[in-house]
Amino acid sequence: MKSATVNEVVQRSTQAKKKKGWWKYVLQHRAFYIMLIPGLLYFLVFKYVPLMASFIAFQDYNIFKGFTGSEWVGFKWFHQLFTYDKFGRLLRNTLLISLYQIVFAFPLPILLAIMLNEVRTMAFKRITQTVLYLPHFLSWTIVFGLTYMLLSPTQGLVNHLITAFGGDTIAYLQKSEYFRSIIIISGIWKEMGWNAIIFIAALAGINPSLYEAAKMDGANRWKQFLHISVPGMLPAIMILLMLKTGHILDSGFEQIYQFLNPATQETGDVLDTYTYRAGILQGQYSITTAVGLFKSVIGFLLLVIANRVSKWTTGEGLY
């Protein structure tokens, strides 16, 4: 009994010291925790609180009756979504645009970061980085206006060049076969420089002595890239690829909505634009919540799979 009592006292004393030490650490670094507050509030208000309303997907929700007065209908809205005659088209367009973004748009910031890392003239490097970052700060409305100025069949620069060489004008923005290509290219132009920042930071974190040792061993620039730069960037690449995979059903509503028109619905209409029409314009809150819940579940499953693949390939993951 005495030994048990002594053990309990020791455990309580250890826990009290740990608790005191934790509070001391927080007070010592209070400036950092204060800076965390806006970010935590953002995720709390806009990410976690809305999760509480996910059960709307299982109700025939009425804004006048509220959560408690609306009728429970089970999986009615999921059944209606999966049997919707255009659901296949919506899902196909969403997946194709997201896959094209992963295949074509995701590797380019990596290549850009590698090329900028090889530039030795600092003034040229900084000017180039600034020029490439600037499009990120433009809204998609402005980007669409610039794209229209380039591709307009009457005033567009591209069509002027085509007619100058004897060709016929092409209404690129009104043809569904060009829609996905325009979305991917405009997205690359706008975000490539900004997305390269994290890869530039990953390259900057590599110990320069590794390159010096490789030079002494006779490794050329290509060998240094393969055996030092790529392994140094791989953890950042895998983490960002995992996050991209988790959002594979989020194809970018704002961009697509700006470029979408009735002529390009066949290849451009995605789950996000359908959610906007059904939820905001038509007030069908239950089925749009079902769409959001469906996207979240699929994204979570893909994220779990991608995390296991990342741990298997690089030994690192999100958790």
Side-chain angles (χ1 to χ4, degrees):
M1 291 295 291
K2 287 184 179 180
S3 60
T5 305
V6 171
N7 289 335
E8 290 177 1
V9 171
V10 171
Q11 289 178 358
R12 290 175 184 173
S13 177
T14 304
Q15 291 175 358
K17 287 181 180 179
K18 287 182 179 179
K19 188 175 181 181
K20 184 179 179 181
W22 184 81
W23 278 110
K24 184 178 179 181
Y25 179 84
V26 171
L27 290 173
Q28 185 179 357
H29 300 87
R30 57 186 177 275
F32 296 106
Y33 286 95
I34 291 172
M35 287 191 291
L36 279 175
I37 291 175
L40 293 175
L41 287 176
Y42 167 78
F43 280 100
L44 180 66
V45 174
F46 295 104
K47 300 296 182 180
Y48 289 100
V49 172
L51 288 176
M52 299 171 62
S54 296
F55 57 82
I56 293 176
F58 306 97
Q59 288 183 317
D60 187 4
Y61 180 70
N62 187 302
I63 59 174
F64 301 104
K65 295 180 180 179
F67 299 131
T68 57
S70 298
E71 179 186 359
W72 289 89
V73 294
F75 291 94
K76 171 186 174 181
W77 300 114
F78 291 96
H79 180 266
Q80 182 172 321
L81 173 64
F82 297 144
T83 56
Y84 178 48
D85 58 345
K86 295 180 181 178
F87 175 73
R89 186 185 74 180
L90 295 171
L91 186 61
R92 181 180 68 251
N93 291 341
T94 303
L95 289 174
L96 282 176
I97 291 175
S98 294
L99 288 174
Y100 290 159
Q101 288 173 343
I102 292 174
V103 172
F104 297 107
F106 183 78
L108 290 181
I110 303 173
L111 296 176
L112 177 62
I114 293 168
M115 288 189 291
L116 288 173
N117 189 60
E118 295 297 322
V119 175
R120 295 294 175 258
T121 307
M122 293 305 298
F124 176 77
K125 182 176 181 179
R126 288 171 181 169
I127 293 171
T128 305
Q129 285 178 313
T130 303
V131 171
L132 292 172
Y133 295 165
L134 285 177
H136 169 77
F137 299 99
L138 300 177
S139 69
W140 279 115
T141 305
I142 296 175
V143 174
F144 173 75
L146 294 172
T147 306
Y148 181 82
M149 291 171 62
L150 285 172
L151 302 179
S152 170
T154 56
Q155 301 175 351
L157 176 62
V158 173
N159 277 302
H160 279 313
L161 292 174
I162 292 174
T163 54
F165 286 97
D168 297 326
T169 59
I170 302 173
Y172 290 101
L173 296 174
Q174 282 73 45
K175 289 186 175 292
S176 59
E177 59 266 30
Y178 296 111
F179 182 84
R180 293 171 187 153
S181 299
I182 293 171
I183 290 293
I184 301 303
I185 294 171
S186 61
I188 290 172
W189 177 79
K190 185 175 184 294
E191 300 295 346
M192 181 175 66
W194 184 259
N195 291 336
I197 291 176
I198 191 166
F199 300 113
I200 293 172
L203 286 170
I206 299 174
N207 193 337
S209 62
L210 295 175
Y211 292 101
E212 294 174 4
K215 286 180 183 178
M216 293 180 65
D217 290 338
N220 56 24
R221 301 295 286 271
W222 176 248
K223 294 292 184 180
Q224 293 174 36
F225 166 73
L226 285 180
H227 300 290
I228 300 175
S229 299
V230 171
M233 296 175 65
L234 193 57
I237 293 172
M238 291 303 299
I239 289 174
L240 290 176
L241 185 59
M242 278 190 290
L243 295 175
K244 189 71 176 174
T245 303
H247 289 278
I248 198 168
L249 294 181
D250 297 321
S251 48
F253 165 76
E254 187 178 356
Q255 178 191 11
I256 292 176
Y257 184 73
Q258 291 292 335
F259 285 84
L260 192 64
N261 59 67
T264 57
Q265 289 275 343
E266 184 63 31
T267 57
D269 197 17
V270 296
L271 289 171
D272 288 337
T273 52
Y274 168 75
T275 301
Y276 171 76
R277 291 196 306 271
I280 303 299
L281 301 183
Q282 301 174 11
Q284 299 179 18
Y285 304 111
S286 294
I287 192 167
T288 52
T289 305
V291 173
L293 195 58
F294 166 72
K295 288 169 54 181
S296 298
V297 171
I298 298 299
F300 174 75
L301 292 176
L302 290 175
L303 185 61
V304 171
I305 295 171
N307 187 70
R308 292 196 173 228
V309 173
S310 177
K311 282 190 173 182
W312 178 63
T313 55
T314 65
E316 297 186 18
L318 290 174
Y319 56 89

